[in-house]
Amino acid sequence: MLNQLTISKLAAKLAGREVSAREAMQSCLDQIERVDGNIHAFISHDAADALAQADAADKDISAGVQKPLLGIPIAIKDVLAVKNQPLNCGSKILGKFISPYDAAAIEKLKSAGAIVFGRLNMDEFAMGSSTENSAFGVTRNPWDTMRIPGGSSGGSAAAVAADECIASLGTDTGGSIRQPAALCGCVGLKPTYGRISRYGLVAFASSLDQIGPFTKDVHDSATLLGVLSGVDLRDSTSVPQPVPNYIAALDGKIKGLKLGLPKEYMIGGLDAEVKAAVDAAVKKFQNLGAEIVEISLPHTDYAVATYYIIATAEASANLARFDGIRYGARIDGNDPTELYSRTRGAGFGAEVKRRIILGTYVLSSGYYDAYYLRAQKVRTLIRNDFLRAFETVDAIVTPTSPTAAFKIGEKSNDPLQMYLSDIFTISCNLAGICGISIPCGFTKSPKLPIGLQLLGKPFGEEMLLKAAHAYEQNTLWHQEKPPV
Ligand code: GLN
């Protein structure tokens, strides 16, 4: 079935005129029709618009146009602006807002020829690890619909895993690409901070947010990273670093590669089956010629606390704009203060409110020095831990998540337990480095995917993709399909 193909396989069939873009798009739409009532990866999608884009791609293909994503259906997390489409960020507060413009990442997909379609479900404003904090209902894991798909980009991961699209975009502020990719059994890449323009991405925590791809294999991840990367004057934090040919890095040459194993990551809460799968993956790397080195990231213990101070502080400032005046939903009041509080009181969900309150508190005078300022200092220590490690190793291997997918409702009443599940992914964002999650096994009963995380130097995506690809090509995990 066409919807099950990778970008590279579908692109070859489209270029060879074996199939049309319309047929490919239709097979994704059929799959959505068949499974999304159960999975709920999509908040909405416009089938007529997607098919019209497919017809335009077919015209281009007939005219001999060549573009890296021509006619490939790619679905989008509901936090990225796509012109003339709804933009809700998984929240009620944006009401019936329609994006007036395309995000930079969307412009890039469109100019590479992709069919950009659908709004994928997410935790409200990307705050969460389970997609239970969406105003549009929970997304279910295609491997076991009693379980969460991870978050906050749960819709992006579930849609790729259930073959409802060929690939998707998500965002990662503290793990929101890598963790759902791990829990749904696909490949999720968080590029280095500054690699991809954030123009048109609704900000959660501006110093941590990055856009990245969800794909069915590592080759597709390299393809999408190449399309999405590059400096953009509309995002002053994007970096004018040349964009390498990421596909060329996939040469299988990992002999002599030095992989670091952080001793601080073997924590008590690490599930035994996850540990066994990661240990086996490390052995596999060794068999492929990599050298394994134990390393230390001494400030790991402080990462979760540091992240939840910095991310909430930035969120409290970023979310001030949703005031009922500028955009979306409004509940009138007798004066502006009443209008703001009614609108925000009704528009934001409990987790978003919790974070705004926490973030406002850590920035308030009297507490700023004790919390926010100190967290910034610890953030530098965490970044330095990584930079020091990368003096001796090429990449770092860890589990992506301490457990496989948990049950819907299992952690939603205990925010602290939810926050702790981000332990392995958060430091990467604080340090501004890059990371990828790839499938590395399954739990036995129920059968749930396990993810392996590789972390790389700033702008070291080539090395990450090279190592991830070599592992993938010597294992079969990525070929397994969920029972949907
Ligand atoms: N789970 C983390 C949080 O709740 C990370 C979310 C993200 O990366 N957007 O903040």
Side-chain angles (χ1 to χ4, degrees):
M1 286 193 300
L2 298 178
N3 58 305
Q4 295 186 323
L5 297 178
T6 57
I7 295 176
S8 44
K9 291 223 168 88
L10 178 56
K13 284 189 190 294
L14 289 167
R17 317 279 170 92
E18 274 175 65
V19 299
S20 67
R22 175 172 263 268
E23 287 167 322
M25 189 63 240
Q26 189 62 54
S27 87
C28 293
L29 293 171
D30 291 347
Q31 180 73 347
I32 293 171
E33 192 68 27
R34 199 172 72 77
V35 305
D36 209 55
N38 223 351
I39 306 292
H40 192 47
F42 286 83
I43 295 174
S44 65
H45 69 286
D46 180 343
D49 175 67
L51 290 169
Q53 290 183 60
D55 289 342
D58 280 327
K59 262 203 189 125
D60 279 354
I61 294 170
S62 312
V65 173
Q66 292 193 352
K67 289 177 178 173
L69 301 175
L70 191 53
I72 309 288
I74 298 186
I76 309 297
K77 184 177 182 181
D78 189 29
V79 71
L80 284 157
V82 179
K83 192 172 178 173
N84 296 332
Q85 289 195 16
L87 173 64
N88 291 100
C89 306
S91 180
K92 281 195 288 211
I93 204 158
L94 275 141
K96 296 192 185 326
F97 184 80
I98 301 288
S99 300
Y101 65 87
D102 279 329
I106 301 300
E107 285 175 353
K108 296 231 185 205
L109 289 184
K110 287 185 175 173
S111 47
I115 302 170
V116 171
F117 83 105
R119 306 299 302 166
L120 292 166
N121 200 19
M122 56 183 280
D123 284 302
E124 185 175 7
F125 287 102
M127 298 174 184
S129 312
S130 66
T131 317
E132 291 168 295
N133 301 330
S134 166
F136 298 89
V138 59
T139 295
R140 293 169 180 276
N141 192 312
W143 291 89
D144 177 351
T145 52
M146 301 292 283
R147 291 174 188 265
I148 57 100
S152 65
S153 316
S156 306
V160 169
D163 292 314
E164 298 174 75
C165 54
I166 303 301
S168 68
L169 292 193
T171 57
D172 190 313
T173 304
S176 278
I177 292 175
R178 291 158 288 151
Q179 184 255 21
L183 271 38
C184 289
C186 42
V187 176
L189 173 68
K190 185 209 91 79
T192 305
Y193 186 74
R195 179 70 294 185
I196 296 175
S197 168
R198 292 181 294 113
Y199 175 77
L201 160 64
V202 179
F204 160 13
S206 311
S207 77
L208 300 161
D209 299 341
Q210 258 297 289
I211 299 165
F214 286 85
T215 55
K216 296 174 191 179
D217 69 9
V218 175
H219 191 281
D220 282 2
S221 190
T223 301
L224 282 180
L225 183 65
V227 167
L228 296 166
S229 293
V231 69
D232 174 8
L233 296 178
R234 297 165 300 181
D235 170 6
S236 59
T237 65
S238 72
V239 177
Q241 178 88 7
V243 181
N245 179 349
Y246 292 112
I247 304 283
L250 312 179
D251 57 9
K253 293 188 185 144
I254 62 160
K255 213 172 161 45
L257 184 85
K258 281 205 177 121
L259 286 181
L261 268 183
K263 61 173 188 235
E264 291 81 2
Y265 280 43
M266 290 303 141
I267 53 164
L270 181 59
D271 176 82
E273 283 179 285
V274 172
K275 182 175 185 318
V278 171
D279 287 345
V282 168
K283 285 245 160 59
K284 186 89 200 173
F285 271 113
Q286 248 169 340
N287 293 340
L288 294 170
E291 190 186 321
I292 310 297
V293 186
E294 191 186 78
I295 58 162
S296 174
L297 299 169
H299 297 92
T300 299
D301 262 1
Y302 306 104
V304 174
T306 303
Y307 169 86
Y308 278 96
I309 290 171
I310 293 175
T312 56
E314 293 184 16
S316 71
N318 277 325
L319 269 57
R321 72 192 64 175
F322 302 101
D323 54 8
I325 306 286
R326 296 176 177 85
Y327 329 90
R330 169 185 302 183
I331 302 179
D332 277 320
N334 295 316
D335 54 52
T337 308
E338 199 172 88
L339 183 154
Y340 298 149
S341 62
R342 283 188 181 170
T343 302
R344 288 165 67 86
F348 288 135
E351 183 62 23
V352 172
K353 286 181 190 159
R354 184 178 297 125
R355 300 217 188 179
I356 291 173
I357 292 168
L358 201 61
T360 309
Y361 175 75
V362 300
L363 288 174
S364 60
S365 85
Y367 296 100
Y368 180 95
D369 287 356
Y371 294 106
Y372 184 70
L373 193 67
R374 183 162 301 180
Q376 291 290 16
K377 290 180 178 165
V378 178
R379 179 178 188 172
T380 302
L381 296 174
I382 290 172
R383 179 172 166 86
N384 289 344
D385 280 356
F386 279 98
L387 298 184
R388 203 171 309 114
F390 287 129
E391 285 171 10
T392 50
V393 298
D394 299 303
I396 294 172
V397 201
T398 81
T400 307
S401 166
T403 64
F406 44 90
K407 289 213 174 85
I408 292 171
E410 194 177 320
K411 296 190 184 178
S412 48
N413 293 326
D414 189 346
L416 211 56
Q417 277 309 312
M418 192 74 91
Y419 298 169
L420 286 171
S421 71
D422 300 331
I423 177 92
F424 298 135
T425 49
I426 268 177
S427 301
C428 168
N429 303 70
L430 290 169
I433 60 174
C434 55
I436 192 169
S437 179
I438 53 172
C440 75
F442 291 90
T443 58
K444 276 208 182 63
S445 177
K447 182 178 178 180
L448 300 168
I450 298 172
L452 182 77
Q453 178 175 242
L454 294 167
L455 299 172
K457 297 177 196 179
F459 298 97
E461 283 85 356
E462 284 171 285
M463 178 61 74
L464 275 195
L465 291 162
K466 181 200 288 282
H469 182 254
Y471 174 82
E472 176 195 80
Q473 292 306 301
N474 286 282
T475 53
L476 295 170
W477 312 117
H478 66 292
Q479 292 179 4
E480 304 240 5
K481 292 287 181 193
V484 281

